[in-house]
Amino acid sequence: MRIGVLGAGQLGRMLALAGYPLAKTFVFYDMSGSPSVGLGEVIVDREGKYLDDFLSRVDRVTYEFEHLPVEVAEKLAQEKPVHPCPRALQVCQNREAEKTLFGELGIPTPRWKIADSAGSLRAVAENLGCPVVAKSNTEGYDGKGQAVLRSPEDAEAAWEAIGHPRLMVEKFVEFSREVSIVAVRGEDGQLAFYPISENVHHEGILRYSIAPAPKLEKHTQQDAERYIKELMNELGYVGVLTLELFETANGLVANEMAPRVHNSGHWTIEGAMTSQFENHIRAVSGHPLGSVEPRGLSCMINIIGEHGEVERLLELPYAHVHLYNKGERPGRKLGHVNVLADSYEELVWRVRNCVQFLPGSPEFISSLNRKSKG
Amino acid sequence: MRIGVLGAGQLGRMLALAGYPLAKTFVFYDMSGSPSVGLGEVIVDREGKYLDDFLSRVDRVTYEFEHLPVEVAEKLAQEKPVHPCPRALQVCQNREAEKTLFGELGIPTPRWKIADSAGSLRAVAENLGCPVVAKSNTEGYDGKGQAVLRSPEDAEAAWEAIGHPRLMVEKFVEFSREVSIVAVRGEDGQLAFYPISENVHHEGILRYSIAPAPKLEKHTQQDAERYIKELMNELGYVGVLTLELFETANGLVANEMAPRVHNSGHWTIEGAMTSQFENHIRAVSGHPLGSVEPRGLSCMINIIGEHGEVERLLELPYAHVHLYNKGERPGRKLGHVNVLADSYEELVWRVRNCVQFLPGSPEFISSLNRKSKG
């Protein structure tokens, strides 16, 4: 079976590495003009002229990024199976649609309102109570097109800074940590849920994911599974879906979803019986899903901006290095290191050992540190 | 770094899958006219016209099969680093040179003699004492070009059947089982040894490898490590080397070596901290070696001739399916399944579950069965 992947970055690369052992072949369709997938056939098509060619050469279509015109996905879906479905894309590209869907399905979210002018932004900020975060309703990702309002007086400046005609405004959530759940749904509706990971961000970029998340209460995993199950069943979803959440004193609150394999699931390559990449390929191909059981404890460390001392990392017996073969650039994801351990204490120690060779990495502060301090 | 691989079969494929995450790229050089690697760039060159082109495009050269003209490897080695060294190839292509080297290094072998005529074959058979096995001294592999002599009278027929001017004749060894050790040596001489695997053959083809080999005495692992270490140091070897051995009442006896990643090491993909493929790439690239620690107990089951019910295998949570995307043909290696377990009892049960979906597979008879019967 030949799988067409819309997008040609590191997620597509890791999908392919997981798919070849299942006898899949790959064609990547790149709209950016700078594919980094580095293996398989790549059709570079900034002007959208070769989409039919791409389509004629594949059996099924998936995507590795969600900033894809929905019309394109819909057009493709008329000809070949496209997983996940275009509706999932549509929802993810519009924060209002996403939050509305969450609400309909009983998935808790921060309080939110829409603003469509500087004046309404101010009114919304007053109504919700500051601080609030305003985000462009469409086209924003990775912390871009966002502003925090500490008081309603910040509305004018925030409106100008974001420069978007429609904003999602959310009340700040008091959370203890950020977590996510990665799940997969097969063509036959079979479901599997990876354990929740704890995610540590710095400057708007994911830096660490620890899985299974330490000190997790059993009902928290169950709640997350219930929420993502509702989403997948409602959307008739096929493939891997990720739901980012805040853990609060009142339980989980949903932040956003990503209709694809996710950075916070990279730990599954060595840390689970079947990786998120293999399970996505299995789902998209109509195969049974693989086991999502964890294999020990994992921490994924992103390599951001510069590679650091890779040779030193390769010396560490517990570190698995995954490079994307991309050039260095500030803020760019260049690879990740999966660290395995049998206890959280050992995991912390091993992560610290790795981080000394990754100069751009922030201090490893997670619930694990709080534990070791307390 | 771009690695040139001589050969373009499933071993090259798995080397590439392990090498991409270390930011390597690959060019395969195929002399057979039927490459099956299925990813990366392949230069098909049955007449040897494009070797210079291949060489100009790679930083280092390795190979995935040992039936490669030594002159070619030597020529390449004048231009670019070739790992393992051409001498390792030379030794492996000549049973007399191989057994002689084993003897020089104090590695036990079956008693052997060379025969260069039907008459001398008869004399050698009488001298060694039948049964003996006669093998073409060069160019034989996977049980081809071999004959068993139950009595010296078989010499004439065996000589005709093999049709080779020089034969290696070995006295039969009474062995309890066949085992192998896979080891890796870095550019700096660093050494790492995987645990010995027990290998079950049927009709001259490897069917199962169990690792770590059950009921293994500690000194057996130590002996195997000592033997393969002698070989690697003597040859100045860089990369993965495999040594096939017989386990006998008097300890290990060496059968043959393979200067490459080996079918009996495929279990390392999920069953060890670092796979044989990644460690070969690390060694060839001059990186530090990765940990060879096992992760639980493994059994590798070869998929031979026909694929069987792959969908059923994919349903089993403990089975990892690795397909080579090759057409079915009797006796052809099409893929393998790695089964993981925490106990040998569980492993046996799981392997039996898998084998029911692989119709061509012989019964799983290993030391594990003998244990469960006794």
Side-chain angles (χ1 to χ4, degrees), chain A residues 13 17 20-23 25 38-39 270 273 282 286-289 291 295 311 314-315 317-318 320-323 325 340, chain B residues 13 17 20-23 25 38-39 270 273 282 286-289 291 295 311 314-315 317-318 320-323 325 340:
Chain A
R13 176 181 174 92
L17 290 172
Y20 280 106
L22 299 178
T25 57
L39 77 172
E270 288 88 11
M273 281 295 283
R282 284 176 178 238
H287 294 312
L289 305 181
S291 165
R295 299 184 76 187
E311 290 294 302
L314 289 172
E315 285 173 1
Y318 41 76
H320 293 269
V321 176
H322 298 267
L323 302 177
N325 217 359
L340 292 164
Chain B
R13 176 181 172 93
L17 290 172
Y20 280 107
L22 298 178
T25 56
L39 79 172
E270 287 89 11
M273 280 294 283
R282 284 177 178 238
H287 294 312
L289 305 180
S291 164
R295 299 184 74 186
E311 290 293 303
L314 290 172
E315 284 173 3
Y318 42 77
H320 294 269
V321 176
H322 298 267
L323 302 176
N325 215 0
L340 292 164

Side-chain angles (χ1 to χ4, degrees), chain B residues 253-270:
Chain B
V253 173
N255 181 20
E256 60 183 25
M257 63 186 236
R260 53 168 167 79
V261 289
H262 194 261
N263 198 167
S264 70
H266 289 1
W267 63 272
T268 60
I269 297 177
E270 287 89 11

Side-chain angles (χ1 to χ4, degrees), chain B residues 225-241:
Chain B
E225 291 186 8
R226 196 171 73 243
Y227 299 155
I228 200 164
K229 175 181 165 181
E230 291 286 353
L231 281 168
M232 292 197 293
N233 286 341
E234 166 65 21
L235 294 167
Y237 197 91
V238 174
V240 164
L241 178 70

Side-chain angles (χ1 to χ4, degrees), chain A residues 153-360:
Chain A
E153 277 78 62
D154 297 341
E156 191 75 37
W159 181 262
E160 290 302 320
I162 298 173
H164 194 277
R166 196 168 176 86
L167 304 186
M168 161 63 63
V169 189
E170 298 166 20
K171 188 170 167 65
F172 250 50
V173 173
E174 288 281 332
F175 60 86
S176 54
R177 57 179 172 174
E178 294 175 85
V179 300
S180 59
I181 185 164
V182 175
V184 57
R185 187 171 179 274
E187 263 193 343
D188 59 353
Q190 187 193 359
L191 290 159
F193 309 95
Y194 288 97
I196 284 177
S197 68
E198 175 182 321
N199 305 322
V200 180
H201 291 81
H202 181 71
E203 294 171 349
I205 302 173
L206 180 66
R207 302 299 174 135
Y208 305 98
S209 286
I210 307 138
K215 295 186 280 181
L216 195 73
E217 303 206 41
K218 197 177 171 189
H219 73 85
T220 308
Q221 176 74 27
Q222 290 168 343
D223 287 348
E225 292 187 7
R226 197 171 72 243
Y227 299 155
I228 200 164
K229 176 181 166 181
E230 291 285 353
L231 280 168
M232 292 196 296
N233 285 342
E234 165 66 23
L235 294 168
Y237 197 92
V238 174
V240 164
L241 178 69
T242 307
L243 181 60
E244 296 184 57
L245 303 133
F246 301 115
E247 193 178 38
T248 78
N250 301 314
L252 292 174
V253 173
N255 180 21
E256 60 182 27
M257 63 186 235
R260 52 169 168 79
V261 290
H262 194 260
N263 197 166
S264 70
H266 290 1
W267 64 271
T268 59
I269 297 177
E270 288 88 11
M273 281 295 283
T274 313
S275 75
Q276 64 167 348
F277 302 102
E278 179 173 337
N279 257 331
H280 186 73
I281 295 297
R282 284 176 178 238
V284 166
S285 308
H287 294 312
L289 305 181
S291 165
V292 291
E293 280 298 301
R295 299 184 76 187
L297 307 177
S298 294
C299 180
M300 188 283 314
I301 310 169
N302 266 336
I303 303 175
I304 307 284
E306 48 184 316
H307 284 98
E309 299 174 73
V310 171
E311 290 294 302
R312 302 298 299 275
L313 289 172
L314 289 172
E315 285 173 1
L316 303 175
Y318 41 76
H320 293 269
V321 176
H322 298 267
L323 302 177
Y324 310 150
N325 217 359
K326 289 160 71 175
E328 298 186 342
R329 197 167 69 200
R332 195 178 204 197
K333 291 176 180 172
L334 304 174
H336 68 274
V337 184
N338 284 346
V339 178
L340 292 164
D342 292 322
S343 73
Y344 287 113
E345 289 71 19
E346 193 178 49
L347 192 64
V348 169
W349 183 85
R350 291 178 169 184
V351 170
R352 292 230 167 96
N353 264 359
C354 290
V355 168
Q356 64 180 315
F357 304 124
L358 293 167

Side-chain angles (χ1 to χ4, degrees), chain B residues 34-57:
Chain B
S34 57
S36 68
V37 65
L39 79 172
E41 194 182 343
V42 183
I43 297 174
V44 178
D45 187 17
R46 296 192 67 156
E47 292 168 22
K49 288 194 288 193
Y50 306 115
L51 203 59
D52 288 335
D53 178 42
F54 167 74
L55 199 55
S56 71
R57 290 159 68 187

Side-chain angles (χ1 to χ4, degrees), chain B residues 27-28 33 79 90 110 114 118 138-139 150 162 189 200 222 228 249 253 264 275 281 299 312 329 336 363:
Chain B
V27 181
F28 299 93
E79 308 277 332
Q90 196 168 27
I114 293 294
T138 56
E139 294 151 33
R150 301 272 158 206
I162 299 173
V200 180
Q222 290 168 344
I228 200 164
V253 173
S264 70
S275 76
I281 295 297
C299 180
R312 301 298 299 275
R329 196 166 70 201
H336 68 273
E363 199 192 342

